Every structure is written in C-alpha cells, then in structure tokens.
Amino acid sequence: MEHVVIIGNGISGVTAARHIRKLSDKQITIVSAETDYFFSRTALMYVYMGHMKFEHTQPYEPYFWKKNRINLKKGYVKHIHSDDHQIEFSSGEMMQYDKLIIATGSKPNKFGWPGQDAKGVMGMYHKQDLEQLEQYAPDNNTCKRAVIVGGGLIGIELAEMLHSRQIPVTFLVREESFWNGVLPAQESAMINREITENHIDLRLGVNLKEIKTNSAGKVTSVIIAETGEEIACDVVGLTAGVSPNIEFVKSSAIETNRGVLVNRHLETNIPDVYAIGDCAEQHEAIGQRRPIEAVWYTGRMMGETVAQTICDNRTPYKPGPWFNSAKFIDIEYQTYGWVWAQPKDHEERFYWEHSSGKKCIHISFDKKTREFIGINTFGIRMRHEFFNKVLLEKQTVDKVMAHLADANFDPEFYQLHEREIVSKFNREQSTNIQLKKKSWKRIFSRN
C-alpha cells in the first residue's frame, strides 16, 4: 500500500491528509514535533485571554485520527533522503515514504539582534510560544512591561493578549504608520488610533537595537536604535514577520529559495515530493499574489489541491481572487481583491469612514472600464461569496454599489450603513463627472 508521509500538522498538512483519506485507502502518516494533535493556530490568543482552554482549539477528538486511519508520529525531521524515499529523524530513526508532503509552516523572523535568544524572548506562532508566555507573563506582577517588536497581524494579536491581563505594552513598529506597507493611509491611521486608545504605547518609525539580559540570561530591557532609549521589560515578543520553516530541507536535493520551490501543481524538483502552505514558494507568482503566502486560507486550499494530485487527479493550484481577514483589537478587517497601500496609475479609489472612526470601506476600481478591483472593509462584515463572484465576473463598481446591501453580513439588528455609503459614492462620482466635463470644455475652447 502506498505510504504518504506529511511533515507538519498545521492546516495545510491536516487538510491534505483528510482529503487523501476521502479519496483513497493510502497509508497516511502525519509527522510533527510541535504537538500531538492538530490545533487551530489562530485560536492560541484566546487561550491566553481566557476565552477557551487549549483542548478547545483542537477541531477533532483524539479518536478521529484512528477512526480515519491517519497515523500520528511525534518527532523532529532532520534530513530528507529523497534518493531512498526516506526521512531521517533527530533520533536517527528512518521512515520510508512513497509520496512526501512538506507542510512545515513558518517560523518568526530574527535579524541577529543581540539577546534575541534570551529567556523571556518569544514569537507568537507555536504552542511552545504560548507556554513561554504563560511562564514569563502570567500577570502584571511577574511581567511589569512587555515590548513587542514588529507591527504585523501577529504583533497586534500579542499586544491584545497582554493587554487583556493588564500588562503594560510598548509596541515598536519600524514603519511610520501601522502596517502601511499593506494598508492605505486612512485604514492605517484608524488602526494607529485603535492601538493607542487601548493604552498601548505605540512607537512608530523605530527599530530594535538590542535586547539586554541579566546574569541568568533573562531579558531585562531593550534599546531603541534611533534614540538609544532603554525600556525596562520582562518579556519581548518578536513579531517582525515570519519565514518558511525549511532548515532541514536545505541539506537535501530539494530545490529551495526562501521557501521550498514548487510549480503550479505544488510539486518540487524531486519526483514524489510536494510542498504546501507557508513553507511553499511558487517559482512564478500567481497573478498579483506573492510567491509565498503565509495565510490560513491558502494553506487549506493547497492541502485540498495536493490531495487530488496524489490521488491520481493531477490538479493545478488555482486560489482564485485574493481575500483575507483579521482583527485589530476590536475592529474586524476583511479584504477582497486588491486595495494596495498606494493606488496604481489605472485605479480610482472611493473611501467612506463612519463618524465613530471605527468603521470604513475603501474600494478600488479601474478609471476607464470601472471594473471593480477590490475592497477593504473595517468594522462591517461582508459576504465572501458576493465579492468572489464580483471579482470572477469582473463586474463594475457601479453594479457592486447598486447591490452593496446584499453583501452585508453583519448580525441582525446591527446598524446598516449602505445607504450612507452609496449616497457618498454617487455624490463623488457626480462631482467627478462635472469636473471632467469642465476640463473637456477648457480643452476644446483652446482648440
């Protein structure tokens, strides 16, 4: 019986295993050094915040794996012997495979800061990070202050976690405004306000120079590079992005760059070896997507896709229109299509913000064709199915605005804002048309 070995028990690897089981009777083994069972990584923050216990983050009961004949092996893979179709564990044990799926996810970035491996310094990605956080920041008596380095989605989650236990937080962000490499200026400014309104000490435009420690190797403070200021702290969260977790792959014949290089079918350069999820890197980016996408949704889709190929239905990875979602403390965020931090030359933008300063939408569309390109929505839930259809069918922004109420997914009795949004859009478009007409008249009068 063909043996499929999957290294990594995150959303990508587990989705692949589940779909291979649905499609076949192949022998399946999932290998992981992190935990015994698959858990929802995005739910880790809620364990620390007291909303759930760790076992609640496990979508499947322990009996699920045996019932579905999915073998679980706890161990750390040291090397892949692709010529022999074997993986080698750190213990020296070997395991034979017929097909191998690398789904090892990401690891937090470190940039060689002095003290970056000290006690009390951690990321917020693995279960072990949660355990360290409980050890070094169980309360505000043990942890008088935490410093977070890096202003991405994980960074703001960690800030919210610590804030929930009344632990003072200083947030070091190298950009001049939060996440402004991804968010347009208006949305970035909104999140700056949300962070500071929650009494988090947000420091923009600064970098970490070093982490100071005591004689026991425990963090005591950080130094800011630009000013030399020293901030006393008991915990440092390193959340300056993530990188593919593939160190053990680099000593093999499998081709790598930043991630494990794959084609559109998620195949590596070695027969019978595949890579999916955060650790996979497309040889050529798909459309305007990045070659590496460390996103839960895309990991799941890759798992479903590779299962088809392994079960003799060779299937290309087609992720469809881009979408993502997150939460910035109390403000929910969704994005569909493309709303770049800076508009492209062919784009026109429409922006609406609620008077509360905690809700907005930002729409991008083509100046000439009026094709809808994308939307950011903050504080208003929208239906994925609606915008997926709009983007696939290349509908116009005018059609989207005419049916915007159909897209709303807020719970019953929430205040609706579509009438106000559409009214502002129509006023702006009417004004733009009048300005264009005046411009044309001036041109013709000169001629």
Side-chain angles (χ1 to χ4, degrees):
M1 184 182 294
E2 188 172 73
H3 186 199
V4 180
V5 173
I6 302 167
I7 308 175
N9 71 344
I11 186 63
S12 304
V14 166
T15 301
R18 287 178 48 244
H19 282 262
I20 291 167
R21 176 54 66 236
K22 286 179 182 180
L23 297 166
S24 75
D25 289 322
K26 298 178 190 293
Q27 180 186 352
I28 303 170
T29 300
I30 298 178
V31 176
S32 174
E34 183 180 12
T35 54
D36 292 326
Y37 301 109
F38 166 60
F39 68 94
S40 173
R41 202 171 296 282
T42 54
L44 280 181
M45 66 181 293
Y46 300 111
V47 177
Y48 183 83
M49 293 171 72
H51 300 318
M52 59 174 63
K53 295 180 179 178
F54 180 74
E55 53 265 33
H56 299 155
T57 70
Q58 298 171 0
Y60 308 108
E61 296 288 348
Y63 68 79
F64 170 88
W65 308 101
K66 188 173 182 180
K67 177 185 174 184
N68 288 279
R69 293 172 289 117
I70 297 172
N71 304 311
L72 303 180
K73 165 75 173 175
K74 194 163 186 185
Y76 180 80
V77 178
K78 183 174 74 172
H79 186 67
I80 298 171
H81 300 272
S82 56
D83 287 347
D84 301 321
H85 278 63
Q86 288 186 322
I87 58 173
E88 180 182 350
F89 293 91
S90 56
S91 64
E93 181 185 354
M94 307 292 283
M95 180 180 285
Q96 197 78 28
Y97 68 82
D98 295 296
K99 296 282 196 299
L100 179 67
I101 302 174
I102 303 168
T104 45
S106 296
K107 60 180 181 180
N109 285 334
K110 293 183 178 181
F111 296 102
W113 296 296
Q116 67 182 20
D117 296 316
K119 297 172 185 174
V121 180
M122 66 206 69
M124 194 56 236
Y125 187 84
H126 299 101
K127 181 176 184 284
Q128 287 77 8
D129 295 324
L130 178 65
E131 291 166 353
Q132 281 198 71
L133 201 61
E134 285 288 6
Q135 178 184 351
Y136 293 107
D139 52 53
N140 58 14
N141 289 319
T142 306
C143 180
K144 303 294 185 186
R145 176 168 294 276
V147 172
I148 298 170
V149 181
L153 298 178
I154 297 175
I156 199 164
E157 284 183 357
L158 182 53
E160 182 181 358
M161 290 163 67
L162 292 158
H163 182 61
S164 74
R165 296 197 186 185
Q166 290 81 50
I167 295 171
V169 176
T170 295
F171 204 170
L172 307 184
V173 176
R174 70 177 180 179
E175 291 81 15
E176 296 303 319
S177 186
F178 186 85
W179 217 33
N180 66 356
V182 175
L183 298 179
Q186 298 96 322
E187 292 97 302
S188 180
M190 178 182 288
I191 303 308
N192 290 342
R193 293 195 302 270
E194 180 70 5
I195 293 168
T196 54
E197 284 172 10
N198 279 273
H199 310 291
I200 293 165
D201 176 25
L202 178 63
R203 307 286 189 95
L204 296 169
V206 296
N207 289 273
L208 174 67
K209 181 181 179 183
E210 66 174 301
I211 300 167
K212 288 188 169 293
T213 60
N214 60 19
S215 58
K218 168 78 169 57
V219 59
T220 56
S221 64
V222 301
I223 306 294
I224 295 178
E226 286 75 10
T227 62
E229 179 186 356
E230 183 171 4
I231 302 173
C233 59
D234 300 292
V235 160
V236 174
L238 299 182
T239 62
V242 294
S243 301
N245 183 25
I246 61 163
E247 283 305 310
F248 73 102
V249 183
K250 292 180 179 178
S251 60
S252 73
I254 299 164
E255 192 178 350
T256 64
N257 186 32
R258 287 187 58 235
V260 178
L261 288 165
V262 295
N263 61 17
R264 287 290 190 272
H265 293 82
L266 306 170
E267 299 160 330
T268 70
N269 62 310
I270 301 296
D272 302 324
V273 179
Y274 308 80
I276 57 176
D278 294 15
C279 68
E281 178 178 356
Q282 289 284 331
H283 276 284
E284 296 178 12
I286 299 173
Q288 298 187 78
R289 290 170 172 265
R290 294 177 178 177
I292 299 172
E293 292 184 326
V295 179
W296 187 90
Y297 306 105
T298 54
R300 185 190 62 193
M301 287 189 281
M302 287 186 201
E304 293 173 0
T305 301
V306 82
Q308 292 288 334
T309 294
I310 280 178
C311 294
D312 303 319
N313 178 27
R314 192 165 181 264
T315 303
Y317 171 57
K318 294 180 179 179
W322 169 253
F323 68 100
N324 199 6
S325 64
K327 191 164 171 281
F328 299 98
I329 306 179
D330 288 326
I331 299 178
E332 293 187 25
Y333 158 67
Q334 294 171 291
T335 185
Y336 302 100
W338 302 110
V339 185
W340 307 104
Q342 298 293 331
K344 311 285 187 185
D345 290 341
H346 68 284
E347 291 178 11
E348 188 173 330
R349 293 283 178 89
F350 167 70
Y351 181 78
W352 169 88
E353 185 174 306
H354 187 256
S355 56
S356 67
K358 292 183 181 291
K359 297 180 182 181
C360 72
I361 68 165
H362 206 157
I363 290 175
S364 172
F365 58 97
D366 190 282
K367 287 178 183 176
K368 293 182 179 178
T369 67
R370 299 187 68 76
E371 180 185 328
F372 177 85
I373 297 172
I375 182 171
N376 284 344
T377 171
F378 286 72
I380 302 173
R381 294 180 186 174
M382 298 287 189
R383 296 181 188 276
H384 173 241
E385 294 82 2
F386 178 90
F387 286 107
N388 199 56
K389 186 172 186 287
V390 164
L391 290 161
L392 287 171
E393 294 179 357
K394 300 184 183 299
Q395 294 180 14
T396 65
V397 66
D398 306 287
K399 188 169 182 181
V400 170
M401 299 306 287
H403 296 277
L404 193 62
D406 298 333
N408 189 288
F409 195 49
D410 273 334
E412 194 176 4
F413 306 125
Y414 267 53
Q415 184 181 359
L416 301 178
H417 305 285
E418 283 72 26
R419 186 175 294 179
E420 180 186 338
I421 293 167
V422 173
S423 177
K424 182 174 190 281
F425 175 79
N426 289 338
R427 287 197 307 273
E428 287 189 8
Q429 292 301 297
S430 177
T431 301
N432 289 344
I433 289 170
Q434 294 304 317
L435 289 172
K436 286 176 182 176
K437 284 181 178 178
K438 288 180 181 179
S439 176
W440 293 335
K441 283 181 180 178
R442 284 197 297 271
I443 292 168
F444 291 137
S445 64
R446 289 194 200 106
N447 295 333

